[in-house]
Amino acid sequence: MSWQAYVDEHLMCEMEGNFLNSSAIIGHDASVWAQSSSFPQFKPEEITAIMNDFAEPGSLAPTGLYLGGTKYMVIQGEPGAVIRGKKGPGGVTIKKTNQALIIGSLIALWNNDI
């Protein structure tokens, strides 16, 4: 299975009434391995800041987490492994693997919105 198929078939799916509106697998060097068509155009320095937070947990908290120019408030994650950001009713989760970052942006859908 290709990384693009993984994004398309496993990340961009319904999960307990919620949907990711965008997702990507990005190398530690900011190279794109695969992404959904809706994933925002990010700046390499945004990925550098994310990688720095994995190395020094809490470094993003004072300034916020930026991805594609959108600012997220950093919320509790798993130091060195998972970073979570919140914006309105949705947010972003970033999981660090040995070679890549797996990123998903979530928009919550309520039953009356369907």
Side-chain angles (χ1 to χ4, degrees), residues 30-80:
S31 61
V32 176
W33 294 12
Q35 66 183 13
S36 64
S37 60
S38 56
F39 195 77
Q41 180 66 37
F42 62 88
K43 297 176 183 173
E45 56 266 25
E46 293 172 335
I47 302 304
T48 299
I50 290 167
M51 290 300 296
N52 288 342
D53 193 76
F54 281 117
E56 298 176 33
S59 64
L60 285 176
T63 60
L65 161 66
Y66 285 86
L67 189 61
T70 299
K71 182 179 180 179
Y72 296 88
M73 178 179 64
V74 179
I75 59 175
Q76 184 178 5
E78 298 168 31

Side-chain angles (χ1 to χ4, degrees), residues 7 11 15 18 25 32 40 54 72 79-80 90 100 105 110-111:
V7 166
L11 296 180
M15 295 175 283
N18 296 304
I25 301 174
V32 176
F54 281 117
Y72 296 88
S105 177
W110 308 103
N111 289 335

Side-chain angles (χ1 to χ4, degrees), residues 12 16 22 24 33 35 40 49-50 61 72 103 107 109 112:
M12 298 298 294
E16 299 177 9
S22 66
W33 294 12
Q35 66 183 13
I50 290 167
Y72 296 88
I103 304 173
I107 294 179
L109 292 179
N112 59 357

